[in-house]
């Protein structure tokens, strides 16, 4: 019997697993991929903590920067807790062996990221996420955490608003299985995958856990807030790190003119690039003046990726770029213990909305959130499991329900190609639910998404085999994307203002009277999507 | 438009294995080419993918007998794309990585016992910086000829990771890590360097294995192969 089940093996999931294991729980981490292949591996910049190793810094300054960036949608208490626990989180990561870059005296090195008032981001070269994730994975193995790799979660099993486990497809065999657990932590990542073809994220960031959460009775909040990264390669959307601009790179339009201060916050730079593109300009990153030696030493990944995807050498040529979806601030609403509206069901990391990023995330705060809140969620899920004396009923009904659902998909007509629809959804989201939005376009996309939802049974799969059926998994992912697309759209349509990452053409300013501290909430009642705007925890 | 061949496998089909040829777009990466085939031609083509930028380690396959990350390789005319070796093929290019990943646990490739107030200097950190760039793509494991004859061999990535922690000043319990890589470990490697040749991160497991051998000897372990030569010598 599993006490604590974690869905998702990225930074938040592994931190939760280690925390729950620490107090003697039976812990399993289940995910559609291997833990080390999670989105966390792609994080480059760093993890924030007010250590003050590289110049003066304080928790208060970290709190102030984060509150400012949240544009009145952050919860001050949660932000303070996150920032206060930063230094302790770095000490823990150091103790379990994270290979941080170092200062001469052996302290962890820190650098400045956009929007920070001090050198606050601890890093491991440009592989911060990768090295942090692998260290957590090694630690979880050492502590005896069980891994259910390549299990694709379908639904949470909930009775009387209490989570009892999940249903999942064991991908290797194609069989639907149930996994019982006394408590569950969702740590399944964000939904940038909605912007298919226009995201820096892994192809697996499809928001499955968030979609399953709203189906299970959870509330989602602030789904309209999506952070765009200013510089992704034009053809592929592959990320060119902010460090290219930090090191002195320019942004140029087709006339070879600079048009924005490149060191402004991400949303400002992304918007400036977007305006250029709307006017028919091409936009380029120019790092030629930095010189080959500097580029080879400091931006080798960027050079390699530009050569691979654009066929150009940034030492000699301009790099064509565009802004693309990078991080989703919205997610599953959690209380201050990281529990969702469903008892025993916790959430942490990008899939959750713990109200620390608000309308715009600060670089270096997401890795911190995965570790600090992931760990807390694991501890709280363990306490919940310890107190639990509920008899777990037979899983047969749930197994039957989801097996039949999968069986039905095998019989869907497959008259409409969902891969084509996924591409058009990505296009529509990028162009109309992207950096600058307007009501007419948003409503148009919502109508199109509703139509896609109705057409799902006319879509389906061509591959009818059972073993490792990625055609099937991608189709269910697409269904989850449709589910979440609606919540993003109703939030974006209702928020008649511009705030942080959400910008509306018709309402170019923040409307603090109407929307200051006001969040969007989505949930389901009898299968119908409901939405409202309101203050935090005043329902 | 280069044509590439893909070795496919489906346990329920007869024949289970077959090689198919596809035309792919000029200039695309192999991963883009596979995605193009799946979305436009044959949705049953099965492979793993993730970050597209060589850090998640999902997409390693063999092309013309050499391991590559599909996201970092441009297909050439006539290329033969196959799944990685020494793991059961589940479907097409997807192999079961369960057994390979178990080697991490067997090698105790983690920080077992933190040393009180350990100081990590920039030099300490640089010493295993490259080793900790590992993305666990499994390329080295698939390239290792030792696994052909000894499936229990721990393989290159687990040994590299073991060394990464043995060399870490924060580790207090080096012994249990060194003990764990004696059997089917450092002494079974033939130092052929195939792992080093295919690593997309430029890691050199061969030299890490040599370092572990030295450490093993220092800690009282012996090369089992040397043992037999020794007794032969005494027969004179």
């Amino acid at each position: 019997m599993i006490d604590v089940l974690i869905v998702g093996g990225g930074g938040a999931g592994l931190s939760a697993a280690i925390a729950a294991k620490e107090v003697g729980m039976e812990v399993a981490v289940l995910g559609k991929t291997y833990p080390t292949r999670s989105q966390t591996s792609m994080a480059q910049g760093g993890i924030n903590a007010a250590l003050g190793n590289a110049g003066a810094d304080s928790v208060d300054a970290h709190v102030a920067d984060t509150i400012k960036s949240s544009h009145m949608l952050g919860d001050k208490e949660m932000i303070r807790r996150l920032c206060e626990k930063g230094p302790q989180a770095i000490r823990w990561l150091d103790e379990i062996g994270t290979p941080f870059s170092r200062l001469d005296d052996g302290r962890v090195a820190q650098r400045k990221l956009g929007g920070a008032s001090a050198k606050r981001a601890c890093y491991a070269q440009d592989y911060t996420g990768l090295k942090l994730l692998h260290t957590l994975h090694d630690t979880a193995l050492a502590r005896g955490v069980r891994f259910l790799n390549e299990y694709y979660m379908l639904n949470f099993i909930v009775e009387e608003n209490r989570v009892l486990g999940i249903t999942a497809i064991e991908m290797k065999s194609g069989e639907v299985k149930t996994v019982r657990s006394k408590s569950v932590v969702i740590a399944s990542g964000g939904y940038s995958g909605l912007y298919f073809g226009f995201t820096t994220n892994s192809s697996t960031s499809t928001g499955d856990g968030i979609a399953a959460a709203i189906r299970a009775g959870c509330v989602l909040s602030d789904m309209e807030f999506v952070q765009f990264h200013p510089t992704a390669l034009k053809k592929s959307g592959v990320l060119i790190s902010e460090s290219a601009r930090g090191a002195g790179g320019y942004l140029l339009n087709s006339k070879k003119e600079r048009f924005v201060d490149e060191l402004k916050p991400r949303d400002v730079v992304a918007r400036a690039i977007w305006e250029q593109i709307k006017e028919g300009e091409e936009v380029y990153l120019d790092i030629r003046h930095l010189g080959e030696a500097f580029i080879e030493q400091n931006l080798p990944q960027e050079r390699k990726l530009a050569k691979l995807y654009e066929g150009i050498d940034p030492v000699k040529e301009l790099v064509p770029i565009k802004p693309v979806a990078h991080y989703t601030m919205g997610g599953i609403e959690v209380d201050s213990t990281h529990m969702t509206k469903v008892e025993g069901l916790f959430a942490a990391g990008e899939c959750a909305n713990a109200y620390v990023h608000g309308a715009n995330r600060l670089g270096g705060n997401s890795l911190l959130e995965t570790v600090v809140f992931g760990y807390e969620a694991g501890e709280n899920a363990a306490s919940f499991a310890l107190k639990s004396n509920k008899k777990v009923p037979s899983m047969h009904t749930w197994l039957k329900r989801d097996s039949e659902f999968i069986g039905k998909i095998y019989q869907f007509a497959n008259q409409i190609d969902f891969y084509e629809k996924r591409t058009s959804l990505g296009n529509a989201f990028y162009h109309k639910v992207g950096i600058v939005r307007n009501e007419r376009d948003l409503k148009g996309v919502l109508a199109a998404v509703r139509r896609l939802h109705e057409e799902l049974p006319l879509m389906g799969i061509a591959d009818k085999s059972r073993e490792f059926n990625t055609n099937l998994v991608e189709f269910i992912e697409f269904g989850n994307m449709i589910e979440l697309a609606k919540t993003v759209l109703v939030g974006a349509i209702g928020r008649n203002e511009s705030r942080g990452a959400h910008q509306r053409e018709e309402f170019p300013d923040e409307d603090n009277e109407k929307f200051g501290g006001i969040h969007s909430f989505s949930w389901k009642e009898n299968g119908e999507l409901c939405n409202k705007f309101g203050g935090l925890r005043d329902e | 438009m280069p044509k590439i061949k893909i070795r496919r496998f489906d346990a329920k089909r007869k024949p289970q294995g077959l090689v198919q040829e596809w035309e792919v777009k000029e200039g695309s990466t192999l991963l883009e080419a596979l995605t193009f085939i799946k979305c436009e031609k044959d949705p049953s083509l099965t492979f793993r993918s993730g970050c597209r930028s060589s850090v998640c380690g999902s997409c390693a396959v063999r092309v013309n007998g050499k391991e590559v990350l599909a996201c970092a390789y441009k297909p050439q005319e006539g290329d033969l794309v196959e799944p990685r070796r020494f793991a059961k093929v589940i479907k097409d290019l997807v192999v079961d990585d369960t057994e390979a990943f178990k080697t991490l646990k067997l090698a105790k490739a983690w920080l077992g016992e933190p040393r009180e107030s350990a100081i990590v200097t920039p030099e300490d950190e640089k010493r295993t910086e490259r080793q900790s760039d590992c993305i666990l793509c499994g390329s080295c494991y698939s390239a290792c000829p030792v696994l052909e004859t000894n499936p229990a061999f721990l393989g290159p990535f687990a040994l590299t990771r073991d060394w990464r922690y043995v060399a870490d000043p924060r580790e207090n319990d080096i012994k249990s890590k060194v003990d764990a890589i004696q059997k089917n470990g450092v002494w079974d490697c033939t130092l052929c360097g195939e792992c080093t040749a295919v690593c997309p991160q430029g890691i050199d497991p061969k030299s890490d294995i040599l370092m572990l051998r030295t450490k093993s000897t220092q800690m009282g372990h012996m090369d089992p192969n040397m043992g037999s030569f020794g007794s032969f010598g005494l027969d004179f």
Side-chain angles (χ1 to χ4, degrees), chain A residues 94 97 125 150 309 463, chain B residues 48 52 91 125 164 170:
Chain A
D94 196 7
Q125 304 88 39
E150 299 188 325
Y309 283 104
D463 184 352
Chain B
R48 290 192 183 100
R52 303 165 294 146
K91 193 165 158 193
E125 187 259 326
R164 170 244 177 285
R170 289 167 291 189

Side-chain angles (χ1 to χ4, degrees), chain A residues 21-297:
Chain A
K21 195 74 200 175
E22 195 81 350
V23 288
M25 296 286 100
E26 267 308 309
V27 182
V29 174
L30 173 146
K32 65 178 173 179
T33 174
Y34 280 70
T36 55
R37 296 169 184 170
S38 306
Q39 180 66 41
T40 303
S41 69
M42 295 178 72
Q44 299 178 325
I47 169 166
N48 286 340
L51 295 164
N53 287 355
D57 195 9
S58 67
V59 168
D60 285 345
H62 188 185
V63 170
D65 290 345
T66 306
I67 288 177
K68 183 173 174 226
S69 182
S70 74
H71 293 267
M72 296 176 76
L73 290 184
D75 175 343
K76 286 181 182 146
E77 279 170 40
M78 292 300 271
I79 290 174
R80 178 152 288 277
R81 208 160 87 206
L82 179 72
C83 298
E84 271 174 358
K85 284 195 171 181
Q88 163 188 345
I90 301 301
R91 276 194 292 278
W92 179 65
L93 289 169
D94 196 7
E95 193 180 286
I96 61 172
T98 309
F100 285 118
S101 296
R102 301 280 164 171
L103 298 170
D104 285 340
D105 62 5
R107 285 180 303 159
V108 173
Q110 296 190 279
R111 63 185 170 199
K112 197 168 166 172
L113 297 181
S117 57
K119 289 186 177 174
R120 187 176 296 142
C122 307
Y123 59 97
Q125 304 88 39
D126 261 349
Y127 282 131
T128 315
L130 172 82
K131 297 194 178 189
L132 188 151
L133 177 66
H134 280 243
T135 308
L136 290 171
H137 179 242
D138 297 342
T139 306
L141 280 179
R143 311 270 168 98
V145 170
R146 277 176 60 196
F147 286 96
L148 297 166
N149 298 327
E150 299 188 325
Y151 276 70
Y152 180 69
M153 182 191 61
L154 295 169
N155 281 302
F156 295 105
I157 299 174
V158 177
E159 259 177 25
E160 291 159 358
N161 201 41
R162 159 86 159 82
V163 73
L164 304 171
I166 68 157
T167 56
I169 301 175
E170 181 192 40
M171 290 170 67
K172 186 160 77 171
S173 66
E175 280 170 35
V176 176
K177 302 204 162 170
T178 56
V179 184
R180 295 181 200 204
S181 181
K182 292 176 186 162
S183 63
V184 176
V185 179
I186 322 171
S188 53
Y191 50 93
S192 288
L194 280 178
Y195 295 80
F196 186 84
F198 300 92
T199 174
T200 59
N201 280 209
S202 162
S203 50
T204 56
S205 299
T206 49
D208 307 286
I210 308 174
I214 194 173
R215 289 196 293 269
C218 296
V219 174
L220 311 185
S221 60
D222 299 330
M223 292 293 284
E224 65 272 28
F225 290 98
V226 177
Q227 181 173 78
F228 280 72
H229 197 287
T231 57
L233 292 174
K234 187 167 180 241
K235 286 183 197 159
S236 58
V238 166
L239 178 70
I240 293 295
S241 156
E242 201 157 286
S243 51
R245 276 174 295 131
Y250 300 141
L251 292 170
L252 302 178
N253 60 20
S254 315
K255 302 183 203 89
K256 310 289 180 287
E257 291 165 348
R258 286 173 72 186
F259 53 87
V260 65
D261 173 0
E262 288 86 355
L263 298 175
K264 283 260 163 77
R266 278 179 189 168
D267 56 333
V268 177
V269 179
R271 216 148 47 232
I273 297 173
W274 185 247
E275 278 158 19
Q276 293 286 322
I277 291 172
K278 282 278 147 184
E279 284 165 25
E281 297 283 332
E282 294 280 330
V283 178
Y284 303 95
L285 176 70
D286 185 5
I287 55 170
R288 293 173 300 177
H289 54 287
L290 302 179
E292 180 161 13
F294 182 89
I295 292 170
E296 209 30 61
Q297 177 65 36

Side-chain angles (χ1 to χ4, degrees), chain A residues 33-38 41-42 93-107 124-125 127 130-131 134-135 137-145 149-150 171-173 196 199-204 235-239 301 304-305 307-309 311 417 419-420 422 462-463 465-471 474, chain B residues 10-12 27-29 31-32 35 38-40 43-59 71-74 84 90-91 94-99 101 104-105 109-112 114-115 118-123 125-126 128-138 161 164-165 168 170 200-201:
Chain A
T33 174
Y34 280 70
T36 55
R37 296 169 184 170
S38 306
S41 69
M42 295 178 72
L93 289 169
D94 196 7
E95 193 180 286
I96 61 172
T98 309
F100 285 118
S101 296
R102 301 280 164 171
L103 298 170
D104 285 340
D105 62 5
R107 285 180 303 159
Q125 304 88 39
Y127 282 131
L130 172 82
K131 297 194 178 189
H134 280 243
T135 308
H137 179 242
D138 297 342
T139 306
L141 280 179
R143 311 270 168 98
V145 170
N149 298 327
E150 299 188 325
M171 290 170 67
K172 186 160 77 171
S173 66
F196 186 84
T199 174
T200 59
N201 280 209
S202 162
S203 50
T204 56
K235 286 183 197 159
S236 58
V238 166
L239 178 70
Q301 297 294 323
K304 194 174 91 180
L305 291 168
K307 281 183 180 172
L308 185 69
Y309 283 104
D417 177 11
Y419 286 124
E420 204 185 301
R422 188 176 66 176
D463 184 352
S465 64
R466 297 280 162 185
E467 293 84 2
F468 218 93
N469 191 332
T470 50
N471 191 209
E474 284 163 2
Chain B
D10 183 341
K12 298 277 163 62
S28 62
T29 64
L31 185 60
E32 287 172 321
T35 308
K38 186 173 184 69
C39 295
E40 310 261 335
S44 72
L45 181 66
T46 303
F47 52 92
R48 290 192 183 100
S49 80
C51 73
R52 303 165 294 146
S53 48
S54 310
V55 289
C56 80
S58 299
C59 68
C71 72
Y73 177 80
K74 294 272 175 86
R84 280 179 281 120
I90 301 172
K91 193 165 158 193
V94 173
V95 299
D96 190 344
D97 286 323
T98 315
E99 292 303 313
F101 267 69
L104 293 170
K105 200 155 190 171
W110 50 63
L111 199 143
R115 196 155 64 85
I119 291 174
V120 186
T121 64
E123 293 70 40
E125 187 259 326
K126 289 280 171 243
T128 52
E129 180 188 322
R130 193 49 76 106
Q131 286 84 343
S132 63
D133 285 347
C134 173
I135 59 173
L136 290 177
C137 66
R161 192 162 293 224
R164 170 244 177 285
Y165 284 109
D168 196 312
R170 289 167 291 189
Q201 293 290 76

Side-chain angles (χ1 to χ4, degrees), chain A residues 1 32 51 100 135 176 190 197 201 285 333 400 403 450-451 473 508 525:
Chain A
M1 176 74 190
K32 65 178 173 179
L51 295 164
F100 285 118
T135 308
V176 176
N201 280 209
L285 176 70
E333 149 144 290
K400 188 163 172 279
S403 301
R450 289 211 169 106
R451 209 157 44 241
V473 167
E525 273 173 36

